[in-house]
Amino acid sequence: MKKNQFIPFIVCLSAPILHAMHLSDALTLALTHDLVHLQSKAQWSTEELNDKIAMSALLPQVEASYSKTKYHVDGTTSLDYERKQEGLSLSQMLFDAEKIARYTQANINKSIDFFTYQLHEQEFILHTASVYFNVLEHKDILQHAKAANEEYTYRYKQALEQEKQGLITHTEALQVLAQLAHSDASVIAAEHNLHDSIEVFKNTTGVIPKSLQALPPQDVYHHTLTPLEEYIHAADKKNLQYQIAKKQIEIMKTAQKASLGSYLPSIQANLVFNRTKNSPYNTQGTGKSNQRALSLTASVPITCLLYTSPSHRD
């Protein structure tokens, strides 16, 4: 019998210690669990790479080559002829309206995806906070319903005693019973609502809350509200939907510039260095040649000569 007295204590030690979950913990879990949030973050990362890809077309381009060849000029001779070629080419785009517009467009797309990612994060934080407080609210409603049910149970017991003593009629006792039945239904409804809110919390954060911490009163009350004018003034710089709308207007204008840029000439600078070595040269020695070239190339599309801006058409 003494051995059995230690069983509850051992079970208590082996059970995990569960702490009440705070709102910040719920938000952290939700942001790492929501697939749409992770998808928007990945989309933003993709646009960052697209921005770098578009920028690479404007950076200097370097090409290097090397070749070595051995061959016989005549089958009757045993001389080996060798030829080495080395080449280095450096090019830099000085002006290309279409590529510049494409890079600007990719940069704006990156900003839009970043604002979209932040907007989804804000909306999801509000959703998670709403789910968090819904669980607390339904727990309070269930506690109130159970307390009311205990009171109606006590009243019904009193009504039965009073009916036996003839102090009240049977109809009055049935009215108390009806109130008790209504209270039982309220408890069942509160339990179902609490179960549903916990299920939504689980789908949002990936965990089932054992207990949730309510916010301290000082964090809820006695706060001075910011005047509405300040919110309206800050919306021009802080509202993400407004920022996305402005960026979408910019990207449409940039797309038009990119299409117009294909009709404009492009300018590119090229620096080429080639070195060739032949041995033997004319069966006597070694021949070497070095070549350096600096060029400036301007490309003019033929269609640009036929293009007329829409604003100047009749």
Side-chain angles (χ1 to χ4, degrees):
M1 295 298 293
K2 292 182 179 181
K3 184 177 180 180
N4 294 336
Q5 294 177 357
F6 293 96
I7 293 179
F9 180 72
I10 295 174
V11 172
C12 181
L13 289 179
S14 61
I17 301 176
L18 300 177
H19 301 283
M21 182 181 295
H22 194 266
L23 177 60
S24 59
D25 300 328
L27 295 177
T28 302
L29 289 173
L31 290 176
T32 56
H33 179 72
D34 183 59
L35 296 179
V36 179
H37 177 262
L38 297 177
Q39 181 182 4
S40 62
K41 186 176 181 179
Q43 181 65 29
W44 169 43
S45 301
T46 302
E47 287 300 332
E48 282 189 321
L49 296 177
N50 292 336
D51 175 58
K52 295 179 180 179
I53 293 173
M55 185 180 181
S56 64
L58 303 175
L59 297 177
Q61 309 295 319
V62 180
E63 295 182 6
S65 62
Y66 174 79
S67 64
K68 180 179 180 182
T69 307
K70 285 186 177 182
Y71 57 94
H72 293 281
V73 176
D74 193 341
T76 60
T77 178
S78 60
L79 293 177
D80 290 332
Y81 291 81
E82 184 179 82
R83 183 177 184 179
K84 295 181 180 179
Q85 286 184 322
E86 299 172 354
L88 181 64
S89 175
L90 175 63
S91 62
Q92 172 62 54
M93 182 62 64
L94 300 181
F95 176 77
D96 191 322
E98 183 179 5
K99 291 182 179 179
I100 294 174
R102 296 299 180 191
Y103 168 68
T104 305
Q105 189 176 11
N107 196 15
I108 297 174
N109 275 329
K110 181 181 69 173
S111 300
I112 291 178
D113 283 334
F114 176 68
F115 289 143
T116 304
Y117 164 68
Q118 285 188 318
L119 179 62
H120 178 270
E121 186 177 62
Q122 290 182 1
E123 292 176 348
F124 191 70
I125 286 175
L126 293 176
H127 170 72
T128 305
S130 176
V131 170
Y132 182 92
F133 291 117
N134 279 341
V135 175
L136 291 176
E137 179 184 8
H138 287 113
K139 281 188 175 182
D140 292 339
I141 293 175
L142 179 59
Q143 291 178 356
H144 180 270
K146 287 183 176 180
N149 183 261
E150 291 178 358
E151 179 182 356
Y152 283 117
T153 302
Y154 178 73
R155 288 183 182 181
Y156 180 64
K157 291 181 179 180
Q158 284 186 329
L160 292 178
E161 294 294 332
Q162 291 173 355
E163 182 185 4
K164 291 180 181 179
Q165 297 175 6
L167 299 177
I168 61 174
T169 62
H170 181 66
T171 302
E172 293 174 333
L174 291 178
Q175 290 177 350
V176 177
L177 179 60
Q179 293 176 348
L180 177 60
H182 180 74
S183 177
D184 291 336
S186 298
V187 171
I188 295 174
E191 289 177 345
H192 283 294
N193 292 333
L194 177 60
H195 177 270
D196 293 340
S197 63
I198 291 177
E199 191 66 25
V200 174
F201 187 91
K202 176 187 174 183
N203 294 334
T204 304
T205 62
V207 297
I208 299 178
K210 299 299 180 182
S211 59
L212 299 178
Q213 292 183 8
L215 294 181
Q218 59 270 18
D219 292 343
V220 180
Y221 304 104
H222 310 296
H223 281 274
T224 303
L225 296 179
T226 305
L228 179 61
E229 292 78 8
E230 295 187 16
Y231 285 117
I232 297 175
H233 180 71
D236 183 40
K237 297 181 178 179
K238 301 296 184 180
N239 186 269
L240 294 176
Q241 292 180 339
Y242 179 65
Q243 296 297 324
I244 291 174
K246 289 199 302 184
K247 291 295 181 181
Q248 288 175 342
I249 295 175
E250 290 182 17
I251 201 170
M252 292 300 177
K253 293 180 178 179
T254 307
Q256 183 184 16
K257 293 180 180 179
S259 61
L260 295 177
S262 60
Y263 295 96
L264 298 178
S266 60
I267 303 175
Q268 179 174 324
N270 301 285
L271 176 61
V272 180
F273 173 76
N274 290 319
R275 183 171 64 181
T276 304
K277 179 180 179 182
N278 295 322
S279 59
Y281 182 69
N282 292 333
T283 68
Q284 293 180 356
T286 300
K288 296 181 180 179
S289 64
N290 296 325
Q291 179 185 2
R292 299 179 182 89
L294 177 62
S295 62
L296 191 65
T297 305
S299 302
V300 182
I302 299 178
T303 54
C304 77
L305 302 176
L306 305 176
Y307 175 77
T308 303
S309 176
S311 59
H312 294 85
R313 291 178 181 174
D314 295 334

